[in-house]
Amino acid sequence: MPDVQPLVSEFVLKLKRRRVLHIIKEEDISSTAVGIEGLSVTAESDDEYDSGNDDHPTLSAAVLAAHARNALRAPSLQTLLEDIPVSTVLSRSASSAGDSDGKSGDKSSKSRKLKHDVIAAIGDLIDEIDTCYDQISEQAVEHIHQNEVILTLGRSRTVKEFLYAAKEKKRSFRVFVAEGAPRYKGHVLAKELVEKGVQTTVITDSAVFAMISRVNMVIVGAHAIMANGGVIAPVGMNMVALAAQRHAVPFVVVAGSHKLCPLYPHNPEVLLNELKSPSDLLDFGEFSSCMNFSTQDGTPLLNVVNPTFDYVPPKLVSLFITDTGGHSPSYMYRLIAEYYSADDLVVRRKSTSS
């Protein structure tokens, strides 16, 4: 698929950072602390070494500074996966300064297995992303029927492919696209649907309640699916879900299994939102005079808040359609349990004996 490579790269990067680097760096930092702890500084030259002190080798300030730089420098993924401990790096530096007793550690079977597992996990993730759109789209004809009216918000590639598949199966239907202000991704989706011959109507986000009574189904994408069945989605989605519930319209979320998240919304490590630039909403040139005024305590009179995401609680979701089939919100925690083990949920610092 032409657009899958950027998405693959993004998720592979997240996998490396979150599941691999974080865990291994914790062990790496512990090794660094242990390695530097036993070193002492001397004013002698780098070539001199006190062989009588076997327990606490004495290094010059220059060599110790080099060791500190190596410790602070973020290790590469290759170094971490090959399980080259920091103590080995320190031994190599000391060896170049006159310490002939430094030895490089061999790769352990555990580190080789870790490297193999990481590469296999990355390969599985790439395959999953490559195939999830097709697997989800195959279910389109089961949910989109003749002459139905569908509403969506913004632009989701999964939703687009889902609607494409229904159109290719000769389904005749109309789509209402809420524009998704202030980024207006809905305009892009509307153009793509029209190019495929789908009858499309663009509406403002504020018109969702006015138009929802004409709609048979709401189909949207998701940024993430939480363990309780809640959805983190583009801003404005909660309003659409409330309108659908008020008028008894099914609210369907289509998303690949790679968007399943084992955390709950109340977990402190979950950031439900991020703020985008105020320039998406206001022209600084036109409103600069308003922003210059301030109250007596120095706070501005005009504030601009531009959130990116909404949280949709599970009670507002009718159905999840993933690459493994359709699921109710109450079933998502079991599906997530099949993808994550308990070790994936909590990263514990490795305890070191004093």
Side-chain angles (χ1 to χ4, degrees):
M1 296 182 182
D3 297 331
V4 76
Q5 192 58 41
L7 187 61
V8 171
S9 301
E10 177 184 354
F11 278 104
V12 168
L13 183 59
K14 287 182 180 179
L15 181 68
K16 290 179 181 178
R17 287 178 177 174
R18 295 181 182 179
R19 292 190 178 181
V20 183
L21 290 180
H22 182 75
I23 297 175
I24 303 179
K25 281 183 180 179
E26 289 292 331
E27 299 179 358
D28 189 66
I29 291 172
S30 300
S31 301
T32 302
V34 174
I36 295 181
E37 194 175 66
L39 299 177
S40 58
V41 185
T42 181
E44 305 295 333
S45 67
D46 293 349
D47 293 332
E48 297 182 5
Y49 172 71
D50 185 6
S51 59
N53 187 5
D54 294 333
D55 295 333
H56 299 281
T58 302
L59 300 179
S60 69
V63 174
L64 189 57
H67 296 163
R69 284 194 298 271
N70 289 332
L72 294 175
R73 184 181 296 113
S76 66
L77 180 64
Q78 177 74 14
T79 301
L80 292 174
L81 293 181
E82 289 182 352
D83 196 26
I84 303 176
V86 175
S87 58
T88 301
V89 178
L90 295 176
S91 299
R92 290 177 178 175
S93 300
S95 177
S96 62
D99 183 8
S100 59
D101 295 331
K103 297 180 180 179
S104 60
D106 296 331
K107 295 180 182 178
S108 65
S109 58
K110 181 179 179 181
S111 65
R112 287 196 297 269
K113 183 180 184 300
L114 172 62
K115 184 175 182 179
H116 177 270
D117 292 344
V118 169
I119 293 175
I122 293 174
D124 292 342
L125 186 60
I126 293 175
D127 293 339
E128 181 180 324
I129 296 173
D130 283 338
T131 60
C132 75
Y133 298 108
D134 292 336
Q135 293 174 345
I136 294 174
S137 298
E138 289 174 357
Q139 307 170 58
V141 292
E142 302 175 10
H143 300 279
I144 298 179
H145 305 100
Q146 199 72 7
N147 299 322
E148 282 193 332
V149 179
I150 297 166
L151 185 142
T152 189
L153 172 71
R155 180 186 183 275
S156 166
R157 182 183 175 185
T158 312
V159 172
K160 181 188 72 172
E161 298 292 343
F162 194 79
L163 297 176
Y164 280 2
K167 182 63 178 178
E168 291 173 357
K169 296 297 183 180
K170 307 303 180 182
R171 289 284 194 268
S172 177
F173 56 93
R174 174 183 289 273
V175 179
F176 287 166
V177 180
E179 58 185 359
R183 284 164 278 280
Y184 301 106
K185 295 294 185 181
H187 297 175
V188 179
L189 177 62
K191 182 179 179 181
E192 293 172 337
L193 293 177
V194 169
E195 291 175 351
K196 286 289 185 178
V198 179
Q199 296 184 22
T200 306
T201 302
V202 177
I203 64 174
T204 61
D205 298 342
S206 57
V208 168
F209 259 101
M211 304 298 294
I212 196 69
S213 59
R214 308 182 187 183
V215 173
N216 301 109
M217 182 187 304
V218 176
I219 301 178
V220 297
H223 179 74
I225 301 174
M226 311 303 291
N228 65 335
V231 179
I232 297 180
V235 66
M237 199 66 75
N238 188 60
M239 174 191 66
V240 177
L242 288 172
Q245 183 192 50
R246 178 67 178 82
H247 290 268
V249 175
F251 186 87
V252 179
V253 178
V254 292
S257 298
H258 58 274
K259 292 190 176 182
L260 297 176
C261 176
L263 302 178
Y264 290 85
H266 60 265
N267 290 134
E269 59 266 39
V270 176
L271 181 62
L272 289 182
N273 227 320
E274 62 180 71
L275 300 180
K276 293 294 186 180
S277 171
S279 62
D280 292 342
L281 301 179
L282 298 180
D283 184 358
F284 286 132
E286 181 180 355
F287 287 86
S288 58
S289 58
C290 300
M291 296 180 180
N292 287 335
F293 290 108
S294 61
T295 58
Q296 294 180 355
D297 59 358
T299 58
L301 291 174
L302 178 62
N303 295 283
V304 180
V305 180
N306 184 16
T308 304
F309 303 114
D310 249 352
Y311 173 69
V312 180
K315 65 180 181 180
L316 299 181
V317 180
S318 304
L319 181 68
F320 287 100
I321 300 178
T322 71
D323 42 319
T324 60
H327 308 284
S328 64
S330 60
Y331 184 78
M332 298 311 295
Y333 81 97
R334 296 184 60 182
L335 192 62
I336 290 173
E338 298 176 2
Y339 279 82
Y340 294 91
S341 66
D343 295 336
D344 294 327
L345 308 185
V346 180
V347 178
R348 296 182 177 86
R349 184 180 298 274
K350 184 179 180 181
S351 60
T352 56
S353 58
S354 56

